[in-house]
Amino acid sequence: MGDPRNVALTETARALGWRGRGGRFDVLPLVIQPPFGDRLLCNVPGDAVLEVPLAHPDYAWFEELGLRWHAVPAISDMCLEIGGICYPCAPFNGWYMGTEIGARNLADADRYDQLPVVAQRLGLDTSTERSLWRDHALVELNVAVLYSFERAGVTMTDHHTESRRFLTHLSKEEKAGRVCPADWSWIVPPLSGSATPVFHRYYDTSVLTPAFVHHRQALA
């Protein structure tokens, strides 16, 4: 009903009896598949999820878009693999980098696809790609995310700060004689990639364990 990426999970939850409000940002329940027996549907209490309404420091109309995003990126659909054993119920969380929300979740055409909406409100020329309207709208969408999370007092980092921080970590690990594997496509941010120092080098691609990995069998 909201995020196209989660339509299949939404349908699974509805088949198990869950009913949301029918909005774009309904918080889905947890669906747990035990080794034996039926799936368990676990509703998330409304006050358990802090959501940040998105606004822009320069454009009052931005709030009219009704966009918001949850404060904590929690992962619950991966398993912790240790010594070849998969521990399937090991959720974890961190904190967001702005581009995860502003340049991917809200901007990707197969997600919330908000770039045309923002571009239209900005009065940009969307009749030609040469106007770079997508780029302009993308920057303003990310400005709104960073501004809104800071205004709400929620931890958030930006891609320029995090890029420098990662290279500092990488340098310390290499000086200590340890490898620090990284996937270039994950480390380089989806906005202004070449303007960040992580863009201009390659990384060790060794696979280390223990590690969080995708389940061998995805939730059907």
Side-chain angles (χ1 to χ4, degrees), residues 7-19:
V7 168
L9 179 57
T10 302
E11 292 175 348
T12 296
R14 288 173 63 86
L16 293 172
W18 176 80
R19 293 294 179 268

Side-chain angles (χ1 to χ4, degrees), residues 18 45 47 53 62 86 106 111 121 124 131 150 153 175 177 180 183 185 193:
W18 176 80
D47 61 354
F62 199 96
C86 177
L106 294 176
R111 299 293 299 282
R121 297 299 293 265
L124 303 179
S131 69
E150 183 176 17
K175 287 180 180 178
C180 185
D183 184 332
S185 66

Side-chain angles (χ1 to χ4, degrees), residues 117-199:
V117 178
V118 173
Q120 188 272 326
R121 297 299 293 265
L122 287 169
L124 303 179
D125 177 11
T126 60
S127 66
T128 173
E129 297 294 349
R130 296 178 67 86
S131 69
L132 300 184
W133 64 268
R134 299 179 194 277
D135 307 72
H136 189 164
L138 189 63
V139 169
E140 298 302 342
L141 188 52
N142 279 269
V143 168
V145 170
L146 292 173
Y147 167 77
S148 301
F149 271 64
E150 183 176 17
R151 184 178 69 166
V154 176
T155 299
M156 166 69 73
T157 186
D158 67 88
H159 51 293
H160 293 286
T161 298
E162 209 58 37
S163 294
R164 293 193 298 271
R165 184 178 294 162
F166 177 74
L167 288 185
T168 297
H169 166 70
L170 184 66
S171 177
K172 290 180 179 179
E173 289 296 291
E174 290 175 342
K175 287 180 180 178
R178 296 187 290 266
V179 297
C180 185
D183 184 332
W184 190 93
S185 66
W186 278 78
I187 294 300
V188 176
L191 175 67
S192 305
S194 63
T196 63
V198 292
F199 176 91

